[in-house]
Amino acid sequence: MNLPFKSCSLALLVPITAVASAKTAILKRAFWVSFVALCMLISPLSKALDGERYIDFVASDGYSLIANRKKPATILVDRNDDPGVVRAANVFAGDLKKVLGKQGALNHGLPDGASKAALNSVFLFGTLGQSKLIDQLIEAKQIDVANIEGQWDGYIIQHVVQPYEGVDSALVVIGANKRGTSYGIYDIAEQMGVSPWYFWADVPVKARESLYVKSDVKIREVPKVKYRGIFLNDEAPALTGWVQENFGNYNHQFYEHIFELLLRLKANFLWPAMWNNAFGDDDPLNLKLAHEYGIVMSTSHHEPMMRADKEWNRYGVGEWDYSTNPKQLYKFWQDGAERNKPYESVFTLGMRGQEDTPMSEGENIGLLEQIVSDQRKIIADVFGEDQVNKVPQVWCLYKEVQTYYEKGMRVPDDVILLWSDDNWGNLRRLPTPEERKRSGGAGVYYHFDYVGGPRSYRWINTMPIAKVWQQMNMAYEYEANKIWIVNVGDLKPMEVPTEFFLRMAWDPEAWHHEKALDFVRLWAARDFGDAYAEEIATLINGYTGHNGRRKPELMSPDTYSLLNYDEAERIEAQLKAWVAKADALEKKIPKDKQASFFQLVAYPVKASAAVGLMNIAIAKNRLYAEQGRAYANRYAKQARQYFEQDAALSEAYHALNNGKWNHFMSQPHIGYTNWNNPEGNQMPITYDYQPGDYAEMGIAVDGYAAGWPSDVGSHWPHKSSYTLPFDYWGQSGREFVIYNRGTQPFDFKAVPEQSWIQLSQSTGSVKQSVPVTVTIDWGALPEGSHKGVIKIRGTGWQGASIYVEATKPSAAIIQQASGFVEADGYIAIDAENFSTSKAREGVSWQAVEQLGRTKGAITLLPVSDQRFRRAKKAPFVEYPITFSSTGEVSVHVLLSPALPVQPQEGLRYAVSIGGSKPQVVDVSKGVAKMQAEWDSMVSDAINQGVSQHSVKKAGATTLRIYGMDPGLTVQKIIVDTGGLQPSYLGPEQSPKK
């Protein structure tokens, strides 16, 4: 029998022999199940998220002992190596203590004589050209560094036998520069079990007895995106409150934690917090320490020349207007260049209005070009004329600045063009083939957090990994690979998407969509163990998918429909199921992981659910109060409980680890009335319905907001009558609820006048409410359309009539039905469920799970410049469908929000039914130019195209969707044959025959 986990101790195998000799098969099976579960619990926690696994904790073939608890591990690093490398080696020594219980012994050279023999195995860290220890290895041809020489941020990890006389072996890290060495050091630390989030999310480090290294390990890593970083932004009140309480200000003591995290995540670039702070001015050690760590500093998209926005408030003279105050601004920027000359920096060029506002109407392209020219002159004066095209510079094409570019403004070719998303995760523009020839290249500024319209979103993670992958994969394929920077807001609670973004920035090619979708499970396995990884991934993907389809700040009581497709009830059940799963998992998670689990999993799951469930409860309260249901106030109470639960969850977060994370959940997120957040969370309005001390019947009918009695007619054939429609392949049961408008109970009687109408209950007593399900006896119903009625008697002299319409296709159509069938007035298809996919010019529609508001989506891969001018020449997917009716239909194609990333291009797809001429739809029209359309697209997390078609014959046929432009992502297709009802997500997928 093969053991599932090699890390299980052999001692555990002894009882298996005894069990095997027992005669009770049940006992044997029970023991084995327990054994496997135990193996899962004690298996290594530190899983490799990407790349090769080369550290283990038990002896096995092909692995050599590198360190254990018996004596301190030895770390060799040349004293003349870069200070940042020595710092990383010291941190690694502390990591060894976390794992093995003893601090690593840091040596700056080989000891002499007999003491050398005591080294056995060592960790050897060094940078090319800066370490004599490394030079000796290279000269002795014990290691080949040719493939990282001159490679930005590259490194090698290799196990070397007898690197020096008297030393048995060494696990060697060689960096092409100081960052590369640090990345290799922290890569080993992660494989030992030290999570990058050990400080920022309290991920515990599991104690080990020994560390073993894969004997033949040879790893070479070189990043594919040059500058990879984060932007700490919109940082008050949460991050700023925490920083002020713990560090006093955004000083070097705070930034040490940021710099180390960035290196552990293989990042190298930072836009620092700037709302009320100035990185280079608040603490002189900030810049020095960043340079020592190897973090390349820059300033945000609206802060030119390494000067923070707030520095102008402190030292600026006159207006922030280059047309009227050029001398003072020139001097201000010149001082910034002088200050940053000793440090590795990327200089932001250009100019926006102060505090990140558009420039005034008086500014023009000519003036902006002059500004850039003068800024370049400053760089030449400070660094030397021969350095002006070598000092890294970036021009961020954010908001209106992109318009200046499109109107003809240009900067020198060596300047990096930093394209931006639309603040909602949808890229606005990427380099054209001609722009890719620029020596400066291009990059992307992306958002996980935003302050602005249509609604600020700052509180919690709303970015599904699949969305991030889809957009950044496009960026990489269009060669926007010089800078990837993402606005992470307060950093917490954006841990998961932040790590994915930075890992993907290191090697986008490694994170193809199948692996990208496995990221969360791999991440959970590393930080919580295999035993919990699948469940944690389900929860994280679940809550981020929920928040991604509508951000919590945009959630309202009318978001999900209470009237159609059981939408609100389905969302409610889903949220409650995730909370129950989180509660159950929280009880199983080991005690030392509880704080980490709460921050990374339980809190965002439960808090996201609380906001969603509160809004659904408010919706029920308002609807039921308007209908006059005696129990309407029950849901107002529920809503208040969820509101209070949200506050309690924030308090619990702030109390973790004796208040370590106080302030982090202080961002208001409930009660928005405009784009900006309220000053504090505000409970939305609920309705108060006071039932009378009597009995009075009311009836609520599926699909109708107004309860009976109301203005809705009660006599056939009024169009406003309460009617329950049924289709042969449609919803099997529909409901009406008999409820009490007062407090005294009453009896009711419901009688269908047609025998093919069936009721779950015909009589009963109503204290508060009684639901009655209506079904159709299809066997007793002839083909064709039929009408019937249900008569209901309760209190008073009135009686209610609910009409029933039932449609049964012909026997021929039923027999030949194929694929997704028409029912209830529509055909709904989840886009990934195609039957045929046809590639053209190497491009095809491919299914991607978790991409979109429901289950998945299809997108055109691989991403390229390929556009298809004619629909019939484009790649397509095909769906078998069956119509049971004829006439005019509308095909609604629900797509992920997107904008054309190339100028003068569109986002075109085409639809064909039954081989008819494809109808081309361009969904970029409107959203790229009109504010209201864009607001709707990003708020609803969907873009929708509609085309009209004629169905002349009922029966089986096919539906084709052609993809004509890159960047298209289709989530759902809905063919409206006359019965589509309003809802947020649309109906669930139709039955398939």
Side-chain angles (χ1 to χ4, degrees), residues 467-669:
K467 167 81 170 182
V468 180
W469 168 81
Q470 194 262 348
Q471 293 292 297
M472 299 315 297
N473 178 61
M474 285 183 61
Y476 181 69
E477 295 296 344
Y478 279 86
E479 299 182 28
N481 56 15
K482 287 296 188 290
I483 297 176
W484 281 15
I485 186 162
V486 59
N487 185 331
V488 299
D490 300 309
L491 180 60
K492 296 176 69 66
M494 304 299 179
E495 298 93 340
V496 176
T498 297
E499 180 162 359
F500 177 75
F501 182 91
L502 294 175
R503 292 225 177 236
M504 188 174 176
W506 181 267
D507 187 1
E509 294 173 17
W511 293 98
H512 51 82
H513 69 272
E514 290 92 348
K515 186 175 180 183
L517 298 178
D518 200 32
F519 169 80
V520 178
R521 186 192 62 80
L522 293 169
W523 172 88
R526 181 196 67 193
D527 287 353
F528 293 99
D530 279 326
Y532 312 108
E534 289 289 351
E535 291 179 275
I536 288 174
T538 297
L539 289 171
I540 291 176
N541 290 329
Y543 94 77
T544 52
H546 171 75
N547 289 343
R549 62 191 172 206
R550 192 168 188 89
K551 299 188 186 299
E553 293 86 346
L554 277 158
M555 195 73 68
S556 66
D558 61 358
T559 295
Y560 295 111
S561 176
L562 285 172
L563 303 176
N564 300 312
Y565 309 124
D566 294 323
E567 186 173 65
E569 286 79 2
R570 287 188 286 111
I571 298 300
E572 181 179 34
Q574 190 178 63
L575 294 174
K576 288 181 177 179
W578 288 334
V579 170
K581 184 183 283 288
D583 283 337
L585 190 54
E586 202 164 15
K587 293 174 183 176
K588 295 189 290 184
I589 290 285
K591 186 176 180 180
D592 65 334
K593 297 184 180 67
Q594 289 287 331
S596 179
F597 180 80
F598 186 79
Q599 292 168 63
L600 298 171
V601 186
Y603 174 83
V605 168
K606 294 179 180 180
S608 300
V611 172
L613 292 170
M614 179 195 72
N615 278 285
I616 292 172
I618 292 170
K620 289 182 177 180
N621 161 253
R622 293 178 182 177
L623 175 64
Y624 296 171
E626 288 174 345
Q627 291 176 340
R629 301 197 196 191
Y631 51 91
N633 292 351
R634 176 197 308 168
Y635 295 94
K637 181 179 179 181
Q638 277 188 13
R640 284 191 292 272
Q641 289 171 340
Y642 287 125
F643 182 78
E644 292 163 1
Q645 187 179 96
D646 172 83
L649 286 164
S650 295
E651 290 176 9
Y653 197 111
H654 294 157
L656 286 171
N657 289 347
N658 298 314
K660 178 180 178 181
W661 303 116
N662 191 29
H663 300 289
F664 261 105
M665 290 304 122
S666 59
Q667 173 60 46
H669 50 275

Side-chain angles (χ1 to χ4, degrees), residues 125-350:
F125 306 144
T127 308
L128 283 179
Q130 294 184 253
S131 170
K132 291 181 178 179
L133 293 168
I134 296 300
D135 291 345
Q136 290 178 36
L137 280 185
I138 296 170
E139 289 170 9
K141 299 188 184 306
Q142 296 221 50
I143 199 162
D144 183 3
V145 297
N147 59 3
I148 64 161
E149 286 182 305
Q151 297 294 315
W152 174 268
D153 287 2
Y155 66 87
I156 288 172
I157 298 175
Q158 186 169 331
H159 183 246
V160 178
V161 178
Q162 295 183 335
Y164 313 105
E165 183 182 353
V167 179
D168 292 341
S169 69
L171 182 56
V172 182
V173 173
I174 303 176
N177 58 17
K178 62 184 176 183
R179 276 186 300 274
T181 310
S182 295
Y183 294 147
I185 292 170
Y186 288 127
D187 193 89
I188 296 171
E190 184 178 343
Q191 293 227 356
M192 293 187 327
V194 182
S195 169
W197 302 98
Y198 80 93
F199 171 80
W200 282 101
D202 301 313
V203 178
V205 178
K206 187 173 179 64
R208 300 292 182 181
E209 291 298 319
S210 303
L211 298 176
Y212 297 84
V213 61
K214 193 175 181 180
S215 301
D216 61 352
V217 62
K218 289 183 180 180
I219 290 172
R220 173 191 179 266
E221 290 281 347
V222 177
K224 291 186 169 64
V225 175
K226 186 170 185 178
Y227 298 108
R228 311 163 305 279
I230 63 173
F231 180 20
L232 298 175
N233 192 220
D234 310 331
E235 62 269 21
L239 179 60
T240 295
W242 181 79
V243 167
Q244 290 175 345
E245 181 175 312
N246 289 279
F247 303 99
N249 198 4
Y250 285 90
N251 54 34
H252 74 281
Q253 294 168 313
F254 161 73
Y255 277 109
E256 278 185 314
H257 295 290
I258 294 292
F259 298 154
E260 183 185 320
L261 174 68
L262 290 176
L263 290 180
R264 287 184 185 270
L265 296 175
K266 297 183 182 177
N268 63 0
F269 191 67
L270 180 67
W271 286 355
M274 43 65 64
W275 260 25
N276 297 296
N277 291 89
F279 181 83
D281 191 58
D282 289 342
D283 182 346
L285 291 178
N286 281 349
L287 283 167
K288 180 181 178 182
L289 197 65
H291 186 74
E292 181 178 312
Y293 270 91
I295 302 303
V296 182
M297 294 303 301
S298 189
T299 44
S300 69
H301 54 90
H302 68 103
E303 297 176 298
M305 299 297 289
M306 299 306 301
R307 298 305 299 266
D309 182 83
K310 290 298 174 284
E311 290 187 79
W312 182 256
N313 293 347
R314 298 172 188 178
Y315 308 116
V317 178
E319 294 181 335
W320 180 265
D321 187 335
Y322 206 72
S323 65
T324 61
N325 194 24
K327 290 184 179 180
Q328 292 296 335
L329 282 162
Y330 191 99
K331 179 64 167 59
F332 177 72
W333 292 335
Q334 189 173 42
D335 291 345
E338 293 282 2
R339 181 181 64 192
N340 273 69
K341 183 178 180 180
Y343 309 118
E344 206 172 358
S345 309
V346 175
F347 283 77
T348 299
L349 303 184

Side-chain angles (χ1 to χ4, degrees), residues 758-778:
Q758 300 174 326
L759 304 181
S760 62
Q761 186 172 343
S762 296
T763 61
S765 180
V766 179
K767 186 176 181 181
Q768 290 192 328
S769 67
V770 174
V772 178
T773 301
V774 182
T775 56
I776 304 299
D777 182 356
W778 293 105

Side-chain angles (χ1 to χ4, degrees), residues 67-135:
N68 60 29
R69 283 182 169 266
K70 293 181 180 179
K71 65 176 183 179
T74 301
I75 303 166
L76 297 180
V77 61
D78 195 305
R79 70 176 66 256
N80 294 317
D81 211 324
D82 192 275
V85 171
V86 177
R87 178 184 286 274
N90 272 294
V91 174
F92 183 80
D95 289 346
L96 284 169
K97 184 176 182 179
K98 295 182 182 78
V99 178
L100 297 176
K102 292 183 179 180
Q103 186 90 0
L106 188 65
N107 290 353
H108 292 297
L110 288 168
D112 297 324
S115 60
K116 185 187 295 184
L119 287 179
N120 296 321
S121 296
V122 301
F123 295 95
L124 172 59
F125 306 144
T127 308
L128 283 179
Q130 294 184 253
S131 170
K132 291 181 178 179
L133 293 168
I134 296 300
D135 291 345

Side-chain angles (χ1 to χ4, degrees), residues 750-891:
V751 179
E753 294 190 349
Q754 287 73 29
S755 61
W756 47 267
I757 301 174
Q758 300 174 326
L759 304 181
S760 62
Q761 186 172 343
S762 296
T763 61
S765 180
V766 179
K767 186 176 181 181
Q768 290 192 328
S769 67
V770 174
V772 178
T773 301
V774 182
T775 56
I776 304 299
D777 182 356
W778 293 105
L781 191 72
E783 65 181 55
S785 296
H786 305 271
K787 297 177 180 178
V789 64
I790 303 167
K791 297 291 188 179
I792 306 169
R793 298 289 299 186
T795 59
W797 62 271
Q798 287 181 296
S801 295
I802 297 177
Y803 298 95
V804 176
E805 293 182 346
T807 303
K808 183 177 181 180
S810 68
I813 291 177
I814 293 173
Q815 187 174 7
Q816 68 165 279
S818 175
F820 300 98
V821 294
E822 177 189 352
D824 299 329
Y826 63 85
I827 302 173
I829 306 169
D830 294 329
E832 67 271 24
N833 294 324
F834 52 82
S835 61
T836 302
S837 178
K838 177 68 174 178
R840 296 282 172 80
E841 304 294 334
V843 178
S844 66
W845 288 109
Q846 294 185 34
V848 180
E849 295 179 7
Q850 304 169 27
L851 183 57
R853 301 193 309 178
T854 47
K855 296 179 180 179
I858 56 172
T859 192
L860 292 171
L861 294 175
V863 173
S864 70
D865 291 307
Q866 181 65 54
R867 283 177 164 77
F868 299 89
R869 299 304 172 188
R870 294 180 58 202
K872 287 191 174 182
K873 298 293 184 179
F876 66 82
V877 284
E878 194 168 79
Y879 305 87
I881 60 174
T882 297
F883 288 104
S884 56
S885 66
T886 60
E888 298 301 309
V889 301
S890 300
V891 177

